[in-house]
Amino acid sequence: MSSSSGPDRPRHRFFDRFTEPIAELAREKIENAEDRVREAVQAEIDAVGASVRRRAVEIRPSAIAFAAALLLTVFGLGLFTTAAVLGLSHVLEPWLSALLVGAALILVAGGLAAWGRNHLPEPTPMSVVRAREPVHPAGEQVHPWAD
């Protein structure tokens, strides 16, 4: 009652003996290509990582120096602000001199922010960005039907 080609075994066809070796060869070639691409991508990632690490080690002393300069500049500006408040406190009440210096600093900061905002580049619409994308010179020859 059970047939020779039950549901457990796949049914063999006549051309399977010709196509199976070809399919196996194609599968091996594809696996080899996948392995080579994976190795090439990993090698590229490793090279970029090594380059970034090497560059980070090279610029580390400069970054530390700039950070120290920034910190000292902030402290210096704080001392200048304190000196301005103390200088005005000889003419006005101390709280009023601190209020005036603080207001002046906020006005200067607002002016700098407005100036910076006016000098930002104009945002580019996506349609303009797409129009600037480089077109492959052989694009029409290779894919004449593509838009």
Side-chain angles (χ1 to χ4, degrees):
M1 296 216 176
S2 68
S3 65
S4 63
S5 62
D8 299 73
R9 293 185 331 174
R11 219 173 122 187
H12 292 288
R13 296 186 181 128
F14 176 73
F15 290 109
D16 286 350
R17 66 180 138 170
F18 300 115
T19 58
E20 282 181 9
I22 296 171
E24 185 63 32
L25 181 63
R27 191 176 302 113
E28 288 176 11
K29 294 288 186 185
I30 290 172
E31 288 174 357
N32 288 342
E34 287 176 348
D35 290 341
R36 279 188 253 136
V37 167
R38 189 177 298 116
E39 289 170 3
V41 168
Q42 188 61 46
E44 198 64 29
I45 290 171
D46 293 342
V48 168
S51 173
V52 168
R53 281 190 297 277
R54 185 174 52 252
R55 185 74 177 141
V57 168
E58 289 174 2
I59 65 169
R60 185 181 299 153
S62 296
I64 291 170
F66 282 125
L70 174 66
L71 186 64
L72 292 175
T73 301
V74 168
F75 287 150
L77 288 174
L79 288 174
F80 279 146
T81 304
T82 304
V85 169
L86 289 175
L88 273 176
S89 70
H90 290 294
V91 178
L92 303 170
E93 292 292 322
W95 66 270
L96 186 58
S97 63
L99 184 68
L100 290 175
V101 170
L105 288 175
I106 288 175
L107 287 174
V108 169
L112 287 172
W115 180 85
R117 183 173 182 205
N118 287 337
H119 285 82
L120 283 174
E122 291 295 320
T124 307
M126 287 306 292
S127 60
V128 175
V129 171
R130 285 191 196 114
R132 287 192 213 161
E133 289 179 357
V135 178
H136 193 278
E140 293 178 9
Q141 297 169 359
V142 176
H143 301 290
W145 58 87
D147 288 20

